[in-house]
């Protein structure tokens, strides 16, 4: 009798343990599935937020009037839509080493040094548009090669061609006679002062 009672008690305990184990396995399965679903939802939300931020940034860059160029080891890696419109050239003529062909030969070493070393911080250089005109660009150089999203040297530039042309006209008017176009006294005085300054340095 005692053995039977003990066996029945042991059987009851074992069945209770089995039920508890089954319930625990079922609970863990439900929790695992719920966690997986939550992970999927969070991942989807994160991807959407990242894409929204990327699209927002891209729209800001593409709609900006600033000329944005990104350079890497292989030359120009990115040219904003404003650069494409200003030069009137497709991306294929701007990206890679093709951009160097459009830079004025006298400014090429300056541009190459700027994107190779990330300095100087400000440069002025000329590029050729599709109409054969040299456009003067004033660029702020930022070294973002250490940034994992950029990995390049960024030129934030603006077209200063009109300003340069106006300065040349003002210089022409200041140093030349308005009627004859010949050099005036102001130009003579300016050249004389420059010559005296050079001769003073050489002594």
């Amino acid at each position: 009798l005692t053995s039977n009672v003990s066996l029945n008690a042991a059987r009851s305990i074992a069945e209770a343990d089995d039920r508890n184990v089954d319930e625990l396995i079922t609970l863990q399965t439900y929790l695992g599935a719920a966690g997986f679903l939550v992970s999927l939802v969070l991942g989807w939300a994160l991807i959407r937020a990242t894409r929204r931020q990327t699209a927002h940034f891209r729209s800001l860059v593409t709609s900006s009037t600033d000329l944005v160029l990104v350079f890497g080891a292989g030359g120009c890696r990115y040219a904003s839509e404003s650069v494409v419109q200003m030069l009137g050239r497709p991306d294929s003529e701007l990206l890679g080493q093709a951009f160097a062909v459009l830079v004025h030969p006298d400014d090429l070493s300056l541009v190459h040094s700027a994107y190779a070393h990330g300095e100087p911080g400000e440069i002025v250089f000329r590029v050729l548009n599709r109409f054969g005109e040299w456009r003067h660009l004033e660029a702020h150089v930022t070294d973002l090669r250490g940034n994992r999203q950029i990995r390049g040297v960024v030129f934030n530039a603006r077209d200063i061609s009109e300003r340069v042309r106006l300065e040349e006209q003002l210089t022409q008017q200041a140093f030349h006679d308005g009627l004859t176009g010949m050099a005036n006294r102001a130009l003579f005085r300016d050249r004389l002062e420059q010559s005296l300054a050079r001769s003073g340095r050489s002594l």
Side-chain angles (χ1 to χ4, degrees):
L1 181 61
T2 303
S3 297
N4 288 336
V5 170
S6 298
L7 287 173
N8 289 333
R11 190 179 296 112
S12 299
I13 292 172
E15 289 175 355
D17 288 341
D18 288 341
R19 282 195 301 273
N20 289 337
V21 169
D22 289 341
E23 289 175 359
L24 184 59
I25 292 173
T26 303
L27 179 61
Q28 288 180 339
T29 302
Y30 286 147
L31 289 176
F36 179 69
L37 289 175
V38 170
S39 299
L40 284 179
V41 171
L42 288 176
W44 177 75
L46 183 60
I47 290 171
R48 281 201 63 184
T50 302
R51 286 179 177 171
R52 191 162 42 246
Q53 281 186 336
T54 303
H56 179 65
F57 174 74
R58 186 180 292 115
S59 66
L60 285 176
V61 171
T62 54
S63 62
S64 172
T65 56
D66 281 355
L67 310 171
V68 181
L69 295 160
V70 180
F71 291 91
C76 183
R77 291 174 41 206
Y78 172 80
S80 65
E81 183 63 27
S82 52
V83 176
V84 173
Q85 292 178 0
M86 186 267 296
L87 295 179
R89 298 179 182 275
D91 286 343
S92 58
E93 295 182 23
L94 300 176
L95 301 181
Q97 297 296 339
F99 187 82
V101 178
L102 305 177
V103 178
H104 195 284
D106 294 343
D107 303 331
L108 190 57
S109 60
L110 175 65
V111 172
H112 183 270
S113 176
Y115 76 72
H117 306 293
E119 56 184 22
E122 299 280 347
I123 62 170
V124 176
F125 62 99
R126 289 160 288 180
V127 288
L128 190 67
N129 67 10
R130 73 184 182 94
F131 301 109
E133 302 170 334
W134 290 107
R135 308 301 296 180
H136 291 73
L137 303 186
E138 182 180 65
H140 178 74
V141 181
T142 307
D143 188 354
L144 293 177
R145 288 174 291 183
N147 187 309
R148 288 186 299 176
Q149 278 77 32
I150 307 297
R151 296 185 184 277
V153 176
V154 180
F155 285 19
N156 286 304
R158 57 196 180 109
D159 189 349
I160 60 168
S161 302
E162 300 306 320
R163 189 184 80 188
V164 170
R165 189 174 295 113
L166 180 60
E167 289 174 351
E168 290 174 349
Q169 289 176 356
L170 292 175
T171 302
Q172 174 74 15
Q173 292 172 5
F175 293 126
H176 294 80
D177 184 75
L179 293 175
T180 63
M182 298 181 65
N184 59 16
R185 263 184 253 171
L187 180 62
F188 173 75
R189 189 180 305 113
D190 180 71
R191 296 294 186 269
L192 179 61
E193 290 174 355
Q194 290 181 15
S195 298
L196 291 174
R198 278 197 299 271
S199 63
R201 286 195 298 269
S202 62
L203 293 177

